[in-house]
């Protein structure tokens, strides 16, 4: 099939590439000329494990192309995925301007029956909006062209996006005619994915499912984070609590029960905000979602308090090493990263910050050009008063502690991901605070 993906953000570039791998002809379109030129030269503008080889393989096979020419892409496509950003607006609602812009492009250039699929995470009711914009535009052109608008929310995670696509447990589809052409074609598109359940549902449910899925996971994360803070007060161990919790078969997938420095990324924070607003707009108390967001902010701030505690409540000119900057490991994405909150608080107190991340430093430099960026973790801890672990990269889980001792000014460690063995560090006379104490 001929497929266009409009928007080449993190998971959507993966989505397009994986569809090409399923032997479809895919064009990934973006208005960012630099990004498209880079992609044509196999320079992947993001860090996503396993993506690069697939891009090269499918581009070489002429199945995957990159373009800024929306018109030509719309011209040749059977299916157009709208995959542009829906960042949070000032009122907490998703900002839909980019989705509207794509809908405008589609009515201008559509010339034959086409299926338009929303892949972006969009609020309930977006189907009507897109349909109305395109219908009105086609009428304005004095033409009669058939089209279908379908919904197909994205469930890929950054870092594991390629494997998530190949092993998707479910694909959710909605279109106004359950047995119509659009649903049949989308089912065909995904049919090579063997262990995937294709769920055809009703319109509003399809749009709601994504928000519910992300919000439920975020609720779990915030709940375990709140428990971690209670554990700290009561001298209990949140990891042991979570371990026992996971033994209960009713606990969904046993995942997202790890207390860490709060959730970040481009999805959970914005989706929970939008979902909370949707509740409010419909006069239903959104307490659980608001609490999820509040706990998340507190959890990030709590890391800063731990640093202060280890540094005798005085951060003036103290050197703090922030190790790993992205919102989670194995990505270069820094959107809503907990490190941002910690660094902002440290800067307010005039602390000196040294930092290191194997992938995310360039993105961070655009935001904070003046921090001391180091080439590796050992340089980052040199002359430091406190080392702060913000993500859980496997490759740094067993550092050379003797070397670290010889480099640091004071032996303080705040481990916001609990990646180090507390007893080992305490035996080496470190002052150590993890998530539970
Ligand atoms: C999330 C969802 O997991 C995907 O299904 C969804 O498609 C995607 O959002 C999206 O809407 O596009 P992602 O943001 O890539 O994926 O990252 P996750 O691995 O889900 O982690 C989200 C945050 O929760 C991270 O900050 C992570 O550190 C945190 N987290 C996760 C915890 O604090 N504790 C956990 O136990 C698990």
């Amino acid at each position: 099939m001929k497929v266009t993906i409009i928007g080449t953000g993190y998971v959507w570039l993966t989505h397009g590439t994986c569809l090409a791998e399923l032997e479809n002809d895919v064009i990934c379109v973006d208005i960012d000329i630099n990004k498209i030129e880079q992609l044509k030269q196999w320079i992947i503008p993001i860090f996503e494990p396993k993506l690069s080889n697939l891009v090269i393989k499918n581009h070489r096979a002429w199945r995957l192309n990159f373009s800024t020419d929306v018109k030509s892409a719309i011209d040749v496509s059977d299916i157009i995925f709208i995959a542009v950003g829906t960042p949070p607006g000032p009122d907490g609602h998703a900002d839909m301007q980019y989705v509207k812009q794509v809908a405008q492009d589609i009515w201008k250039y559509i010339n034959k029956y086409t299926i338009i699929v929303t892949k972006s995470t969009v609020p309930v009711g977006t189907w009507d909006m897109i349909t109305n914009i395109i219908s009105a535009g086609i009428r304005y052109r004095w033409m009669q062209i058939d089209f279908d608008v379908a919904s197909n929310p994205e469930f890929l995670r950054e870092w594991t996006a390629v494997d998530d696509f190949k092993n998707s447990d479910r694909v959710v589809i909605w279109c106004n005619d359950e047995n119509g052409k659009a649903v049949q074609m989308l089912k065909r598109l995904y049919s090579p994915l063997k262990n995937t359940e294709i769920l055809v549902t009703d319109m509003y449910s399809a749009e709601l499912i994504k928000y519910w899925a992300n919000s439920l996971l975020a609720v779990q994360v915030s709940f375990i984070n709140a428990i971690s803070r209670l554990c700290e007060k009561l001298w209990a161990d949140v990891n042991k609590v979570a371990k026992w919790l996971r033994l209960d078969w009713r606990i969904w997938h046993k995942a997202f029960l790890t207390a860490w420095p709060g959730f970040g990324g481009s999805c959970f924070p914005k989706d929970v905000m939008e979902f909370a607003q949707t509740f409010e707009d419909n006069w239903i108390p959104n307490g659980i979602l608001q609490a999820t967001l509040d706990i998340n902010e507190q959890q990030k701030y709590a890391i800063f308090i731990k640093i202060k505690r280890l540094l005798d409540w005085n951060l003036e000119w103290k050197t703090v090493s922030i190790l790993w900057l992205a919102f989670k490991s194995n990505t270069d994405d820094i959107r809503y990263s907990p490190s941002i909150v910690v660094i902002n608080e440290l800067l307010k107190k005039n602390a000196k910050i040294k930092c290191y991340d194997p992938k995310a430093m360039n993105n961070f430099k655009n935001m904070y050009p003046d921090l001391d960026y180091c080439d590796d973790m050992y340089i980052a801890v040199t002359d430091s008063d406190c080392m702060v672990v913000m993500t859980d990269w496997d490759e740094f889980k067993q550092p050379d502690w003797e070397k670290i001792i010889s480099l640091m000014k004071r032996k303080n460690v705040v481990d916001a991901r609990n990646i180090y063995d507390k007893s080992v560090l305490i035996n080496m006379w470190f002052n150590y605070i993890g998530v539970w104490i």
Side-chain angles (χ1 to χ4, degrees), residues 11-12 121 154-160 164 170 210 214 217 221 224-225 246 255-268 270-271 327-328 338 417:
V11 287
W12 297 311
T121 302
E154 186 63 80
F155 298 107
L156 307 184
R157 291 164 298 173
E158 290 177 25
W159 165 21
T160 49
D164 283 356
R170 79 269 199 222
K210 172 62 185 276
N214 273 3
L217 295 171
V221 169
I224 201 78
N225 283 342
R246 284 192 191 97
F256 287 79
L257 290 170
T258 312
W260 272 338
F263 57 78
S266 68
C267 307
F268 282 10
K270 93 171 158 58
D271 292 352
F327 83 96
K328 63 177 185 179
R417 297 267 174 178

Short mmCIF file of all heavy atoms in Angstrom, two decimals, residues 11-12 121 154-160 164 170 210 214 217 221 224-225 246 255-268 270-271 327-328 338 417, ligand 1:
data_model
loop_
_atom_site.label_atom_id
_atom_site.label_comp_id
_atom_site.label_asym_id
_atom_site.label_seq_id
_atom_site.Cartn_x
_atom_site.Cartn_y
_atom_site.Cartn_z
N VAL A 11 8.23 8.53 17.85
CA VAL A 11 7.65 7.21 17.58
C VAL A 11 7.07 7.12 16.17
O VAL A 11 6.92 6.03 15.62
CB VAL A 11 6.57 6.81 18.62
CG1 VAL A 11 7.20 6.46 19.93
CG2 VAL A 11 5.52 7.86 18.81
N TRP A 12 6.79 8.26 15.55
CA TRP A 12 6.15 8.20 14.24
C TRP A 12 7.15 7.92 13.13
O TRP A 12 6.80 7.33 12.12
CB TRP A 12 5.33 9.46 13.99
CG TRP A 12 4.23 9.54 15.00
CD1 TRP A 12 3.36 8.52 15.31
CD2 TRP A 12 3.90 10.62 15.86
NE1 TRP A 12 2.51 8.91 16.30
CE2 TRP A 12 2.81 10.21 16.66
CE3 TRP A 12 4.40 11.90 16.02
CZ2 TRP A 12 2.21 11.03 17.60
CZ3 TRP A 12 3.80 12.71 16.95
CH2 TRP A 12 2.73 12.28 17.74
N THR A 121 -1.93 11.82 19.32
CA THR A 121 -2.84 11.65 20.45
C THR A 121 -3.75 12.87 20.50
O THR A 121 -3.30 13.99 20.74
CB THR A 121 -2.03 11.50 21.75
OG1 THR A 121 -1.17 10.38 21.59
CG2 THR A 121 -2.94 11.28 22.95
N GLU A 154 -1.56 5.47 18.93
CA GLU A 154 -0.20 4.92 19.00
C GLU A 154 0.10 4.42 20.40
O GLU A 154 -0.19 5.10 21.37
CB GLU A 154 0.76 6.09 18.68
CG GLU A 154 2.19 5.72 18.57
CD GLU A 154 2.39 4.78 17.42
OE1 GLU A 154 2.45 5.24 16.27
OE2 GLU A 154 2.47 3.57 17.69
N PHE A 155 0.69 3.22 20.50
CA PHE A 155 1.06 2.71 21.84
C PHE A 155 2.56 2.43 21.97
O PHE A 155 3.00 1.80 22.92
CB PHE A 155 0.26 1.45 22.16
CG PHE A 155 -1.23 1.70 22.22
CD1 PHE A 155 -2.07 1.25 21.21
CD2 PHE A 155 -1.80 2.42 23.27
CE1 PHE A 155 -3.44 1.51 21.25
CE2 PHE A 155 -3.16 2.68 23.32
CZ PHE A 155 -3.99 2.23 22.30
N LEU A 156 3.35 2.87 20.98
CA LEU A 156 4.80 2.60 21.05
C LEU A 156 5.46 3.42 22.15
O LEU A 156 5.06 4.55 22.40
CB LEU A 156 5.48 2.94 19.72
CG LEU A 156 4.92 2.33 18.44
CD1 LEU A 156 5.80 2.71 17.25
CD2 LEU A 156 4.82 0.82 18.57
N ARG A 157 6.50 2.85 22.75
CA ARG A 157 7.30 3.60 23.73
C ARG A 157 8.63 3.98 23.10
O ARG A 157 9.18 3.19 22.32
CB ARG A 157 7.63 2.72 24.95
CG ARG A 157 6.45 2.39 25.81
CD ARG A 157 6.79 1.23 26.74
NE ARG A 157 7.10 0.03 25.96
CZ ARG A 157 7.57 -1.09 26.49
NH1 ARG A 157 7.80 -1.18 27.78
NH2 ARG A 157 7.82 -2.15 25.74
N GLU A 158 9.14 5.15 23.43
CA GLU A 158 10.48 5.50 23.00
C GLU A 158 11.45 4.48 23.61
O GLU A 158 11.20 3.98 24.70
CB GLU A 158 10.84 6.91 23.47
CG GLU A 158 10.04 7.97 22.75
CD GLU A 158 10.31 9.37 23.25
OE1 GLU A 158 11.39 9.62 23.79
OE2 GLU A 158 9.40 10.21 23.11
N TRP A 159 12.56 4.23 22.92
CA TRP A 159 13.60 3.30 23.31
C TRP A 159 13.28 1.90 22.81
O TRP A 159 14.14 1.20 22.28
CB TRP A 159 13.87 3.33 24.82
CG TRP A 159 14.67 2.18 25.39
CD1 TRP A 159 15.51 1.33 24.70
CD2 TRP A 159 14.71 1.73 26.74
NE1 TRP A 159 16.08 0.41 25.54
CE2 TRP A 159 15.61 0.63 26.80
CE3 TRP A 159 14.12 2.17 27.91
CZ2 TRP A 159 15.89 -0.04 27.99
CZ3 TRP A 159 14.41 1.49 29.09
CH2 TRP A 159 15.28 0.39 29.13
N THR A 160 12.01 1.44 22.97
CA THR A 160 11.67 0.09 22.55
C THR A 160 10.69 0.14 21.38
O THR A 160 9.98 -0.85 21.13
CB THR A 160 11.02 -0.68 23.72
OG1 THR A 160 10.00 0.16 24.27
CG2 THR A 160 12.02 -1.04 24.79
N ASP A 164 8.32 -2.77 20.03
CA ASP A 164 6.90 -2.60 20.36
C ASP A 164 6.04 -2.72 19.11
O ASP A 164 4.95 -3.28 19.14
CB ASP A 164 6.64 -1.22 21.00
CG ASP A 164 7.09 -1.17 22.46
OD1 ASP A 164 7.52 -2.21 22.98
OD2 ASP A 164 7.01 -0.08 23.07
N ARG A 170 -1.85 -4.97 20.60
CA ARG A 170 -3.13 -4.58 20.03
C ARG A 170 -2.97 -3.40 19.08
O ARG A 170 -2.08 -2.58 19.24
CB ARG A 170 -4.17 -4.23 21.11
CG ARG A 170 -4.05 -2.85 21.75
CD ARG A 170 -3.17 -2.92 22.98
NE ARG A 170 -3.36 -1.78 23.87
CZ ARG A 170 -2.35 -1.15 24.47
NH1 ARG A 170 -1.11 -1.49 24.22
NH2 ARG A 170 -2.58 -0.17 25.31
N LYS A 210 -6.47 5.84 24.22
CA LYS A 210 -5.07 6.25 24.37
C LYS A 210 -4.87 7.08 25.64
O LYS A 210 -3.93 6.88 26.40
CB LYS A 210 -4.65 7.02 23.13
CG LYS A 210 -3.30 7.69 23.20
CD LYS A 210 -2.19 6.67 23.38
CE LYS A 210 -0.87 7.33 23.58
NZ LYS A 210 -0.18 7.73 22.42
N ASN A 214 -2.50 5.84 28.84
CA ASN A 214 -1.36 6.60 29.38
C ASN A 214 -1.67 7.12 30.78
O ASN A 214 -0.80 7.12 31.65
CB ASN A 214 -1.02 7.78 28.45
CG ASN A 214 -0.06 7.37 27.36
OD1 ASN A 214 0.30 6.20 27.26
ND2 ASN A 214 0.36 8.31 26.53
N LEU A 217 -1.36 4.31 33.43
CA LEU A 217 0.05 4.03 33.73
C LEU A 217 0.64 5.15 34.59
O LEU A 217 1.37 4.89 35.55
CB LEU A 217 0.85 3.86 32.44
CG LEU A 217 0.47 2.65 31.58
CD1 LEU A 217 1.17 2.68 30.23
CD2 LEU A 217 0.80 1.34 32.29
N VAL A 221 2.29 5.06 38.33
CA VAL A 221 3.61 5.60 38.66
C VAL A 221 3.50 6.58 39.83
O VAL A 221 4.26 6.52 40.80
CB VAL A 221 4.25 6.28 37.42
CG1 VAL A 221 5.49 7.07 37.81
CG2 VAL A 221 4.60 5.25 36.36
N ILE A 224 2.81 4.75 43.18
CA ILE A 224 3.98 4.10 43.78
C ILE A 224 4.97 5.17 44.26
O ILE A 224 5.64 5.00 45.28
CB ILE A 224 4.64 3.06 42.83
CG1 ILE A 224 5.50 2.06 43.61
CG2 ILE A 224 5.48 3.70 41.75
CD1 ILE A 224 4.76 0.98 44.30
N ASN A 225 5.04 6.31 43.55
CA ASN A 225 5.92 7.38 44.00
C ASN A 225 5.44 7.96 45.34
O ASN A 225 6.25 8.26 46.22
CB ASN A 225 6.00 8.49 42.95
CG ASN A 225 6.90 8.10 41.78
OD1 ASN A 225 7.71 7.18 41.91
ND2 ASN A 225 6.77 8.77 40.66
N ARG A 246 3.52 -6.99 42.94
CA ARG A 246 3.59 -7.61 41.62
C ARG A 246 3.19 -9.08 41.65
O ARG A 246 2.89 -9.66 40.61
CB ARG A 246 5.01 -7.49 41.05
CG ARG A 246 5.32 -6.12 40.53
CD ARG A 246 6.61 -6.11 39.73
NE ARG A 246 7.02 -4.75 39.46
CZ ARG A 246 7.93 -4.08 40.18
NH1 ARG A 246 8.54 -4.67 41.19
NH2 ARG A 246 8.23 -2.84 39.87
N ALA A 255 3.79 -4.03 35.72
CA ALA A 255 4.77 -3.01 35.32
C ALA A 255 4.33 -1.63 35.80
O ALA A 255 3.25 -1.46 36.33
CB ALA A 255 4.91 -3.01 33.81
N PHE A 256 5.20 -0.65 35.61
CA PHE A 256 4.92 0.72 36.03
C PHE A 256 4.63 0.81 37.52
O PHE A 256 3.75 1.51 37.98
CB PHE A 256 3.79 1.34 35.19
CG PHE A 256 4.27 1.64 33.79
CD1 PHE A 256 4.36 0.63 32.86
CD2 PHE A 256 4.69 2.91 33.45
CE1 PHE A 256 4.88 0.87 31.60
CE2 PHE A 256 5.20 3.16 32.19
CZ PHE A 256 5.29 2.13 31.26
N LEU A 257 5.42 0.03 38.27
CA LEU A 257 5.30 0.05 39.73
C LEU A 257 6.66 0.33 40.34
O LEU A 257 6.97 -0.11 41.44
CB LEU A 257 4.78 -1.31 40.22
CG LEU A 257 3.31 -1.61 39.89
CD1 LEU A 257 2.97 -3.06 40.21
CD2 LEU A 257 2.38 -0.68 40.65
N THR A 258 7.50 1.02 39.60
CA THR A 258 8.82 1.35 40.13
C THR A 258 8.86 2.82 40.53
O THR A 258 8.54 3.68 39.71
CB THR A 258 9.92 1.07 39.08
OG1 THR A 258 9.69 -0.22 38.54
CG2 THR A 258 11.29 1.13 39.70
N ALA A 259 9.24 3.05 41.79
CA ALA A 259 9.33 4.44 42.27
C ALA A 259 10.61 5.05 41.74
O ALA A 259 11.71 4.54 42.00
CB ALA A 259 9.30 4.46 43.79
N TRP A 260 10.46 6.13 41.00
CA TRP A 260 11.59 6.79 40.38
C TRP A 260 11.43 8.30 40.59
O TRP A 260 10.62 8.70 41.42
CB TRP A 260 11.65 6.39 38.89
CG TRP A 260 12.42 5.14 38.61
CD1 TRP A 260 13.39 4.57 39.38
CD2 TRP A 260 12.28 4.30 37.45
NE1 TRP A 260 13.86 3.42 38.78
CE2 TRP A 260 13.20 3.25 37.58
CE3 TRP A 260 11.48 4.34 36.31
CZ2 TRP A 260 13.35 2.25 36.63
CZ3 TRP A 260 11.63 3.35 35.36
CH2 TRP A 260 12.55 2.32 35.52
N PRO A 261 12.12 9.13 39.78
CA PRO A 261 12.02 10.57 40.10
C PRO A 261 10.81 11.27 39.47
O PRO A 261 10.82 12.48 39.31
CB PRO A 261 13.32 11.14 39.52
CG PRO A 261 13.71 10.21 38.45
CD PRO A 261 13.16 8.87 38.79
N GLY A 262 9.77 10.53 39.13
CA GLY A 262 8.59 11.15 38.51
C GLY A 262 8.61 10.90 37.02
O GLY A 262 9.67 10.77 36.41
N PHE A 263 7.41 10.81 36.41
CA PHE A 263 7.37 10.53 34.97
C PHE A 263 7.61 11.79 34.16
O PHE A 263 7.31 12.90 34.59
CB PHE A 263 6.06 9.85 34.56
CG PHE A 263 4.80 10.61 34.93
CD1 PHE A 263 4.38 11.70 34.17
CD2 PHE A 263 4.02 10.22 36.01
CE1 PHE A 263 3.22 12.38 34.49
CE2 PHE A 263 2.86 10.89 36.34
CZ PHE A 263 2.46 11.99 35.58
N GLY A 264 8.20 11.57 32.99
CA GLY A 264 8.44 12.68 32.06
C GLY A 264 8.14 12.22 30.66
O GLY A 264 7.35 11.31 30.44
N GLY A 265 8.79 12.86 29.68
CA GLY A 265 8.56 12.50 28.28
C GLY A 265 7.47 13.34 27.65
O GLY A 265 6.82 14.14 28.32
N SER A 266 7.27 13.09 26.37
CA SER A 266 6.33 13.94 25.64
C SER A 266 4.90 13.45 25.79
O SER A 266 3.98 14.06 25.27
CB SER A 266 6.70 13.94 24.17
OG SER A 266 6.44 12.66 23.64
N CYS A 267 4.70 12.32 26.49
CA CYS A 267 3.36 11.71 26.45
C CYS A 267 2.61 11.79 27.78
O CYS A 267 1.56 12.42 27.86
CB CYS A 267 3.49 10.28 26.00
SG CYS A 267 4.41 10.15 24.47
N PHE A 268 3.14 11.14 28.82
CA PHE A 268 2.38 11.09 30.07
C PHE A 268 1.99 12.49 30.58
O PHE A 268 0.82 12.73 30.85
CB PHE A 268 3.16 10.36 31.16
CG PHE A 268 3.15 8.85 31.05
CD1 PHE A 268 2.65 8.23 29.92
CD2 PHE A 268 3.64 8.06 32.07
CE1 PHE A 268 2.64 6.85 29.80
CE2 PHE A 268 3.63 6.68 31.98
CZ PHE A 268 3.15 6.07 30.84
N LYS A 270 1.62 15.44 29.18
CA LYS A 270 0.63 16.18 28.38
C LYS A 270 -0.70 15.42 28.30
O LYS A 270 -1.76 16.02 28.34
CB LYS A 270 1.17 16.50 27.00
CG LYS A 270 0.86 15.51 25.91
CD LYS A 270 1.24 16.02 24.54
CE LYS A 270 1.43 14.86 23.57
NZ LYS A 270 0.31 13.98 23.38
N ASP A 271 -0.63 14.11 28.23
CA ASP A 271 -1.88 13.34 28.10
C ASP A 271 -2.69 13.36 29.39
O ASP A 271 -3.92 13.44 29.36
CB ASP A 271 -1.59 11.90 27.66
CG ASP A 271 -1.05 11.86 26.23
OD1 ASP A 271 -1.07 12.91 25.57
OD2 ASP A 271 -0.61 10.78 25.79
N PHE A 327 14.57 11.94 29.88
CA PHE A 327 13.48 11.59 30.81
C PHE A 327 13.51 10.12 31.20
O PHE A 327 12.94 9.74 32.21
CB PHE A 327 12.12 11.99 30.23
CG PHE A 327 11.51 11.01 29.26
CD1 PHE A 327 10.57 10.07 29.68
CD2 PHE A 327 11.85 11.04 27.92
CE1 PHE A 327 9.99 9.18 28.79
CE2 PHE A 327 11.29 10.14 27.01
CZ PHE A 327 10.36 9.21 27.45
N LYS A 328 14.18 9.31 30.38
CA LYS A 328 14.43 7.92 30.78
C LYS A 328 15.68 7.48 30.04
O LYS A 328 16.20 8.22 29.19
CB LYS A 328 13.24 7.00 30.48
CG LYS A 328 12.88 6.88 29.01
CD LYS A 328 11.72 5.88 28.83
CE LYS A 328 11.42 5.64 27.36
NZ LYS A 328 10.35 4.68 27.13
N PRO A 338 12.61 14.89 34.50
CA PRO A 338 12.75 15.32 35.91
C PRO A 338 14.06 16.09 36.15
O PRO A 338 14.12 16.94 37.04
CB PRO A 338 12.74 14.00 36.68
CG PRO A 338 11.97 13.07 35.81
CD PRO A 338 12.29 13.46 34.39
N ARG A 417 17.07 6.64 40.93
CA ARG A 417 16.55 5.44 40.24
C ARG A 417 16.88 4.16 41.00
O ARG A 417 16.68 3.05 40.47
CB ARG A 417 17.14 5.33 38.84
CG ARG A 417 16.78 6.46 37.91
CD ARG A 417 15.55 6.17 37.08
NE ARG A 417 15.16 7.34 36.33
CZ ARG A 417 14.15 7.39 35.48
NH1 ARG A 417 13.41 6.33 35.26
NH2 ARG A 417 13.85 8.48 34.86
C1 LIG B 1 4.41 6.11 26.86
C2 LIG B 1 3.55 4.82 26.83
O1 LIG B 1 4.19 3.81 27.61
C3 LIG B 1 3.37 4.31 25.38
O2 LIG B 1 2.50 3.17 25.37
C4 LIG B 1 2.74 5.43 24.55
O3 LIG B 1 2.59 5.03 23.18
C5 LIG B 1 3.66 6.65 24.61
O4 LIG B 1 3.79 7.07 25.99
C6 LIG B 1 3.00 7.74 23.79
O5 LIG B 1 1.93 8.23 24.17
O6 LIG B 1 3.50 8.04 22.67
P1 LIG B 1 7.05 6.70 26.75
O7 LIG B 1 6.63 8.09 27.08
O8 LIG B 1 7.99 6.47 25.62
O9 LIG B 1 5.73 5.80 26.40
O10 LIG B 1 7.75 6.12 28.05
P2 LIG B 1 7.44 5.02 29.19
O11 LIG B 1 8.45 3.95 29.08
O12 LIG B 1 6.03 4.64 29.20
O13 LIG B 1 7.80 5.88 30.51
C7 LIG B 1 7.08 7.06 30.83
C8 LIG B 1 7.63 7.66 32.12
O14 LIG B 1 7.23 6.89 33.26
C9 LIG B 1 9.15 7.76 32.18
O15 LIG B 1 9.52 9.01 32.73
C10 LIG B 1 9.55 6.63 33.11
O16 LIG B 1 10.77 6.87 33.75
C11 LIG B 1 8.37 6.64 34.08
N1 LIG B 1 8.17 5.35 34.76
C12 LIG B 1 7.88 4.23 34.07
C13 LIG B 1 8.28 5.30 36.15
O17 LIG B 1 8.57 6.31 36.82
N2 LIG B 1 8.08 4.11 36.79
C14 LIG B 1 7.78 2.97 36.11
O18 LIG B 1 7.60 1.90 36.75
C15 LIG B 1 7.68 3.03 34.72
#
